[in-house]
């Protein structure tokens, strides 16, 4: 969602982080939510409060609808599913959305958008649809390579 990896060590405030929000996601998130699609942020960053504050700046009317699962110790996943990659993060977010909104979310109805091929592979292996987010070389615009699109269709 952010145009650079912070490594969980962002030293600026949410306003400065907000400047690095990719335009693709700035447009996608509110549109998806307006269409009834549930969104969650899953990250290995422990800076969940910073992310929450950045979302409040980016999406003031809808940020409270977006659960965040990061490495901040505020949540746990006790289910029997995979804990590899971001699977436990997604499962915990699904539990919250299911309980708070009464929606039915399955692995097959979930889509992970990530810029790390390892997380994509783990998701696909576990029956979760996934797309590798990359910038088209030299354009700064989001794109998918053909292999990613084939994996999404499987």
């Amino acid at each position: 969602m952010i145009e650079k990896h912070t490594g969980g060590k962002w030293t600026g405030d949410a306003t400065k982080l907000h400047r690095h929000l990719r335009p693709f996601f700035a447009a996608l998130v509110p549109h998806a939510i307006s269409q009834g699609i549930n969104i969650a942020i899953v990250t290995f960053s422990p800076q969940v409060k910073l992310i929450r504050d950045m979302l409040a700046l980016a999406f003031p009317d809808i940020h409270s609808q977006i659960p965040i699962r990061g490495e901040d110790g505020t949540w746990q996943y006790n289910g029997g599913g995979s804990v590899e990659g971001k699977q436990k993060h997604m499962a915990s977010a699904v539990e919250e959305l299911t309980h708070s909104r009464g929606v039915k979310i399955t692995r097959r109805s979930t889509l992970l958008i990530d810029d790390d091929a390892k997380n994509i592979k783990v998701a696909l292996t576990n029956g979760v649809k996934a797309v590798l987010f990359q910038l088209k070389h030299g354009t700064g615009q989001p794109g998918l390579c053909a292999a990613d699109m084939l994996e999404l269709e499987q």
Side-chain angles (χ1 to χ4, degrees):
M1 182 172 265
I2 305 297
E3 63 190 9
K4 61 164 93 180
H5 277 278
T6 66
K9 297 176 182 165
W10 183 260
T11 57
D13 63 11
T15 302
K16 289 182 182 174
L17 185 62
H18 177 245
R19 292 181 198 144
H20 296 281
L21 177 65
R22 290 177 169 141
F24 174 81
F25 290 106
L28 176 67
V29 169
H31 181 71
I33 288 177
S34 76
Q35 298 301 307
I37 297 172
N38 294 290
I39 302 284
I41 305 296
V42 293
T43 178
F44 293 125
S45 172
Q47 295 181 296
V48 172
K49 182 185 180 322
L50 174 68
I51 295 166
R52 190 172 317 283
D53 292 346
M54 188 278 300
L55 289 176
L57 292 171
F59 313 112
D61 297 332
I62 58 173
H63 72 277
S64 63
Q65 299 177 45
I66 305 171
I68 304 168
R69 292 298 183 269
E71 297 297 316
D72 64 344
T74 62
W75 61 275
Q76 62 186 46
Y77 171 64
N78 296 317
S82 174
V83 295
E84 292 181 88
K86 293 183 176 175
Q87 296 303 291
K88 67 181 179 180
H89 298 69
M90 289 188 290
S92 176
V94 165
E95 288 173 351
E96 178 179 331
L97 290 166
T98 299
H99 295 307
S100 67
R101 299 204 186 111
V103 295
K104 181 176 180 179
I105 302 171
T106 66
R107 290 180 189 190
R108 298 302 300 161
S109 68
T110 300
L111 172 66
L112 173 67
I113 302 174
D114 204 293
D115 60 1
D116 186 323
K118 291 178 202 168
N119 294 327
I120 298 300
K121 183 177 180 182
V122 170
L124 292 168
T125 300
N126 284 281
V128 175
K129 295 175 184 170
V131 177
L132 181 63
F133 181 90
Q134 298 177 321
L135 296 179
K136 291 180 184 174
H137 183 69
T139 68
Q141 298 298 313
L144 302 172
C145 69
D148 300 322
M149 295 174 95
L150 290 173
E151 289 177 335
L152 177 61
E153 292 173 2
Q154 291 180 350

